[in-house]
Amino acid sequence: MPEEEEFYGKHGEPRKYDPTFKGPIQNRGCTDIVCCILFILAILAYIAVGILAWSQGDPRKVIYPTDSRGQFCGQAGTPLEKKPLLFYFNIMKCASPMVLLEFQCPTTQMCVEKCPEKFMTLVKAYSNKNDFDYYKNFCKDGATNTMGIAEILRSGLCPSMLFPSKPFTRRCFPALGQKGGVITVGNSSHFDDGSGKMRDAKDLVDGVKNATVVIEARQAVMKIFEDYTQSWYWILLGLVIAMLTSLLFIVLLRFLAGIMVWVMIAMVIVVIGYGIFHCYMEYAALKGEAGANVTLQQLGFQTDLSVYLQIRQTWLAFMIILAIVEVIIILLLIFLRKRILIAVALIKEASRAVGHVMCSLFYPLFTFLLLAMVIAYWAVTAVFLSTSNEPVYKIFNETECEHSRETCEPANFTTSPMKARCPDSECLFAFYGGETVYHKYLIGLQFYNVFLFFWCANFVTALGQMTLAGAFASYYWAFVKPDDMPAFPVFSALGRSLRYHTGTLAFGSLILSIVQIIRVLLEYLDHKLKGAQNKFAKFLLCCLKCCFWCLEKFIKFLNRNAYIMVAIYGKNFCTSARDAFFLLMRNMIRVAVLDKVTDFLLFLGKLLIVGLVGIFAFFFFSGRVKAFENTAPHLHYYWVPILTVVVGSYLIAHGFFSVYSMCVDTLFLCFLEDLERNDGSAERPYLMPESLRKILNKKNKTQQAQ
């Protein structure tokens, strides 16, 4: 027919019958060799970048605080091993705006064993031997009681005063508090600044604020870390439960696919319904409670997220969101009820395929191991690159000086002309930097590290997709199952993928990585332009971000189907992507409905596992159930382990269900090819399972004759 010819002309010719075709082609050649060579060279360069970073970097710069001489406090095997804390001579100098630009206080900093525990001035300590011996713990070497006070201060050997301090992030900060609304330090609202002048404790606040720009965030991080140390074994138990639940679900799908799908749908509706009921009960219980009617806008951002659970609007928002999700799921089930029958048949066949290729369930562990290696290499290289700068020293002074903030060398600074012109200046450690060729191109090496991370991570994911596709395709096209299948389908498919199609995997993952790195750059630009007032630039950036997000999703979809075609026919990436795309376009309605319905059902399975484990974690860690009240650990934020268990459960469920998802996608493409290749005759029988043939009203003619 002319219309049919025009349709196929636009979307390629349908696959012709081939009597020699018995599944994934064994006699194949290497594909996309140029990209394979490029990928190998990129990996070798990546290893060279790692070696260069490891030879130049020093992670101690991140772990240990650094004193004014660039030495690390508390580093094992050094004279400062027993001095792990950093002490500021004059914390009030940290109130200078330059601190926020240079990230360094313009005051002497030294490593000490303990922070000061009491008020003391150099003038008072000098007159008492015991006090001066204590005071010298916070002085540089060379300070003695034979020297005059003026000489000690002029030489910068000792601070002019000490006040009670507490260690925080390995640094000594004033022990600030409040008494009757008045700022205090060491239970006193005033202190002697060392010159005989009494000052208010609130004068220390600005210095502390700048010295700890992220102090509140760090406190929250420390509390979260403590919560993890208290609850890690319970989190691990929750993840094990999630893994066992996922495994049980997969096993039940193998034998009871039809029943399990409908049970899963019903349970998802029940779990979400219970969530709506629970939110309503919490919302009603807070009625009349003091402060419960505060709005989220009035409350603002709080580091303690449990505060949000004390206001009614939070539970109302949760209830509305869950109700919307519930309505959407019910409407989808009503409108797609007929397509769900076909999807159930496809899932049943996927269950049989997984049953014949059981080792496929454990393949995600191999993918996870490879991804963990890629992430670890990227993280270690990033740390070494970021710490491969050299210490830079600058001149800091109290009076006006023409050399202020210029770089200097501490070894010969005392005899330098700059010291002679600015007698009260000091050469102190400022930050890590460098002027060599290596340091100038450091940002480029960091960019290369991020790009190769995306490329390698996408390559590992693509390898998993092609391997599983090859294994499941060998199942579908086997005329007699499992006799016509390879002995080890997963290992056979993995071997073919690495031997013949490394270049194809590298090509597909390279395209995806380029789009992802562009998205990262757009996010970076968006972060930089947040304070800008140009509305057009913001709108353009928002459009670009949206477009590249859509492009990434499309490329992931295209790559996934291209890898299935490569696993079956052994052609290069472009040819396989074209064939897969045209095959899907020729069956657009089936793709849009059937394949997506199957994905939706599998997503409901993941949602059910996460919901069940999440509800259990909530009642356990929140102490809402009296049976667990004494067993559950006492935490700062009980949402920390709950969130960890929920996210971990989703990743575990996704790992198991990704095998099913890849199996369904592979069988679906094979199913479409089967419809084009064969017509149900004795010479060209359909290879699809009988359940699918019944639903689609397709029969082999041998069956019709019977």
Side-chain angles (χ1 to χ4, degrees):
M1 293 176 66
E3 291 180 3
E4 190 174 305
E5 288 177 7
E6 185 182 349
F7 177 79
Y8 285 135
K10 286 180 180 177
H11 304 111
E13 291 295 324
R15 193 75 64 176
K16 297 290 191 292
Y17 173 69
D18 182 2
T20 62
F21 181 73
K22 302 294 181 183
I25 294 170
Q26 301 298 323
N27 298 323
R28 56 180 73 196
C30 296
T31 54
D32 299 301
I33 298 172
V34 174
C35 206
C36 179
I37 295 170
L38 181 64
F39 184 64
I40 292 170
L41 291 175
I43 292 293
L44 293 175
Y46 196 24
I47 294 170
V49 169
I51 294 170
L52 182 63
W54 298 337
S55 64
Q56 298 289 327
D58 190 351
R60 295 174 303 175
K61 296 170 185 176
V62 176
I63 300 169
Y64 303 105
T66 310
D67 69 5
S68 296
R69 297 178 182 177
Q71 298 171 311
F72 303 116
C73 300
Q75 184 193 344
T78 67
L80 300 177
E81 182 177 0
K82 295 183 179 179
K83 296 182 176 182
L85 304 174
L86 188 69
F87 169 70
Y88 297 89
F89 268 31
N90 188 352
I91 191 72
M92 288 186 290
K93 288 187 179 179
C94 295
S96 166
M98 292 301 294
V99 174
L100 300 177
L101 298 175
E102 299 179 346
F103 299 101
Q104 188 71 5
C105 290
T107 185
T108 302
Q109 298 159 50
M110 63 177 291
C111 302
V112 295
E113 190 175 343
K114 293 193 300 183
C115 294
E117 297 171 347
K118 51 187 174 181
F119 278 115
M120 195 174 288
T121 63
L122 179 59
V123 175
K124 290 181 179 178
Y126 189 79
S127 58
N128 184 299
K129 184 180 182 302
N130 291 333
D131 286 347
F132 191 68
D133 288 341
Y134 175 79
Y135 205 95
K136 282 197 295 183
N137 291 321
F138 308 99
C139 296
K140 295 180 184 178
D141 295 335
T144 63
N145 52 8
T146 59
M147 302 170 66
I149 295 174
E151 184 182 355
I152 292 173
L153 292 174
R154 186 170 59 252
S155 303
L157 297 175
C158 293
S160 61
M161 59 181 171
L162 301 177
F163 36 76
S165 303
K166 290 182 180 178
F168 181 68
T169 63
R170 298 194 180 192
R171 290 162 176 81
C172 294
F173 291 117
L176 296 175
Q178 273 195 340
K179 187 184 289 183
V182 179
I183 300 293
T184 61
V185 57
N187 294 322
S188 177
S189 59
H190 298 84
F191 66 94
D192 190 330
D193 68 356
S195 63
K197 182 181 177 183
M198 297 300 292
R199 301 184 64 168
D200 290 334
K202 64 181 181 181
D203 293 342
L204 294 167
V205 174
D206 288 337
V208 173
K209 277 184 179 176
N210 272 355
T212 57
V213 177
V214 289
I215 189 166
E216 286 189 9
R218 283 181 174 176
Q219 282 177 335
V221 169
M222 292 298 289
K223 287 181 179 178
I224 289 171
F225 180 75
E226 287 176 14
D227 287 346
Y228 276 125
T229 59
Q230 292 289 324
S231 61
W232 67 269
Y233 41 91
W234 293 111
I235 292 172
L236 199 61
L237 179 63
L239 297 179
V240 169
I241 291 172
M243 185 179 71
L244 293 176
T245 308
S246 300
L247 196 57
L248 177 65
F249 204 88
I250 294 295
V251 172
L252 289 174
L253 272 179
R254 166 71 182 89
F255 299 103
L256 304 166
I259 297 171
M260 281 298 297
V261 168
W262 292 109
V263 168
M264 175 183 68
I265 291 169
M267 286 194 70
V268 167
I269 293 171
V270 169
V271 168
I272 296 176
Y274 173 76
I276 296 169
F277 170 75
H278 182 80
C279 290
Y280 173 75
M281 294 302 292
E282 292 285 349
Y283 175 76
L286 288 172
K287 187 177 182 180
E289 292 288 329
N293 290 320
V294 175
T295 64
L296 292 171
Q297 190 174 5
Q298 290 171 334
L299 189 61
F301 175 74
Q302 301 291 326
T303 53
D304 184 1
L305 297 186
S306 61
V307 174
Y308 293 105
L309 301 180
Q310 307 303 318
I311 60 175
R312 302 185 76 203
Q313 198 176 75
T314 303
W315 293 106
L316 180 63
F318 285 158
M319 186 167 58
I320 292 170
I321 291 168
L322 288 175
I324 292 170
V325 171
E326 183 90 324
V327 170
I328 289 172
I329 290 174
I330 291 171
L331 288 175
L332 285 173
L333 292 172
I334 291 170
F335 288 113
L336 300 175
R337 61 190 183 279
K338 290 184 179 178
R339 294 292 176 179
I340 287 174
L341 294 174
I342 305 176
V344 169
L346 203 54
I347 290 175
K348 281 183 180 178
E349 189 60 19
S351 299
R352 293 192 193 96
V354 171
H356 284 96
V357 193
M358 281 299 288
C359 58
S360 63
L361 285 176
F362 301 98
Y363 188 85
L365 296 176
F366 178 64
T367 301
F368 175 77
L369 180 64
L370 291 179
L371 281 175
M373 291 171 61
V374 170
I375 292 168
Y377 186 87
W378 163 77
V380 171
T381 304
V383 168
F384 274 87
L385 282 172
S386 61
T387 59
S388 59
N389 289 314
E390 298 171 347
V392 174
Y393 299 87
K394 289 199 172 188
I395 298 172
F396 293 96
N397 58 291
E398 293 187 6
T399 58
E400 190 175 341
C401 174
E402 59 182 311
H403 300 292
S404 179
R405 301 301 188 273
E406 289 183 10
T407 54
C408 57
E409 289 292 333
N412 57 8
F413 180 70
T414 52
T415 58
S416 67
M418 292 182 285
K419 177 68 173 176
R421 291 173 189 163
C422 306
D424 64 339
S425 62
E426 290 182 278
C427 183
L428 304 177
F429 168 77
F431 53 85
Y432 290 103
E435 298 296 330
T436 64
V437 175
Y438 170 74
H439 293 107
K440 286 180 180 177
Y441 290 99
L442 201 55
I443 186 68
L445 295 177
Q446 284 281 27
F447 179 82
Y448 187 76
N449 184 34
V450 173
F451 179 71
L452 261 291
F453 164 71
F454 280 125
W455 197 357
C456 292
N458 289 326
F459 180 87
V460 169
T461 305
L463 177 63
Q465 291 174 345
M466 189 179 289
T467 299
L468 292 174
F472 293 128
S474 65
Y475 163 82
Y476 186 94
W477 294 110
F479 194 76
V480 180
K481 301 174 177 65
D483 297 343
D484 292 345
M485 292 172 60
F488 302 100
V490 172
F491 291 106
S492 299
L494 178 62
R496 285 196 302 271
S497 301
L498 289 174
R499 181 179 177 183
Y500 297 111
H501 306 303
T502 299
T504 300
L505 294 169
F507 190 16
S509 51
L510 173 64
I511 296 170
L512 182 58
S513 301
I514 291 170
V515 175
Q516 287 173 334
I517 205 74
I518 291 172
R519 286 194 65 203
V520 169
L521 292 173
L522 288 173
E523 290 293 340
Y524 176 76
L525 284 174
D526 187 35
H527 177 71
K528 287 292 184 183
L529 293 173
K530 269 189 176 176
Q533 301 299 321
N534 192 327
K535 296 283 180 72
F536 177 75
K538 287 183 178 179
F539 173 75
L540 182 63
L541 197 60
C542 186
C543 291
L544 286 172
K545 284 167 63 178
C546 180
C547 290
F548 276 96
W549 179 84
C550 295
L551 181 61
E552 182 184 350
K553 294 297 178 186
F554 174 74
I555 289 174
K556 281 183 176 179
F557 172 78
L558 189 63
N559 281 6
R560 187 181 179 91
N561 289 286
Y563 297 144
I564 295 172
M565 299 301 276
V566 172
I568 298 172
Y569 296 106
K571 296 181 180 178
N572 62 38
F573 178 81
C574 293
T575 303
S576 300
R578 183 198 63 201
D579 291 346
F581 183 72
F582 283 158
L583 177 63
L584 295 171
M585 288 298 290
R586 291 195 297 270
N587 298 272
M588 195 181 301
I589 296 174
R590 286 194 180 106
V591 173
V593 180
L594 179 57
D595 193 36
K596 292 305 138 192
V597 168
T598 312
D599 287 344
F600 173 66
L601 292 177
L602 293 177
F603 173 73
L604 287 184
K606 289 186 274 188
L607 203 63
L608 176 61
I609 291 168
V610 172
L612 291 174
V613 177
I615 288 172
F616 173 77
F618 174 77
F619 282 113
F620 179 79
F621 289 111
S622 65
R624 301 293 177 94
V625 179
K626 289 186 178 179
F628 300 140
E629 204 168 9
N630 297 323
T631 311
H634 297 286
L635 306 171
H636 296 289
Y637 311 124
Y638 67 77
W639 53 264
V640 169
I642 295 172
L643 198 61
T644 307
V645 168
V646 166
V647 173
S649 300
Y650 180 80
L651 293 176
I652 289 169
H654 179 72
F656 281 101
F657 277 86
S658 64
V659 175
Y660 253 85
S661 180
M662 198 66 212
C663 182
V664 167
D665 286 349
T666 304
L667 296 181
F668 183 66
L669 275 188
C670 293
F671 159 71
L672 296 179
E673 290 250 324
D674 193 8
L675 287 174
E676 290 189 351
R677 280 179 175 276
N678 304 309
D679 58 5
S681 63
E683 297 80 17
R684 296 164 58 185
Y686 292 120
L687 294 178
M688 69 183 74
E690 189 178 349
S691 57
L692 268 178
R693 288 200 297 268
K694 282 181 180 178
I695 293 171
L696 294 171
N697 216 10
K698 299 280 184 181
K699 290 184 180 180
N700 285 327
K701 291 183 180 177
T702 53
Q703 292 177 321
Q704 290 175 343
Q706 294 172 358

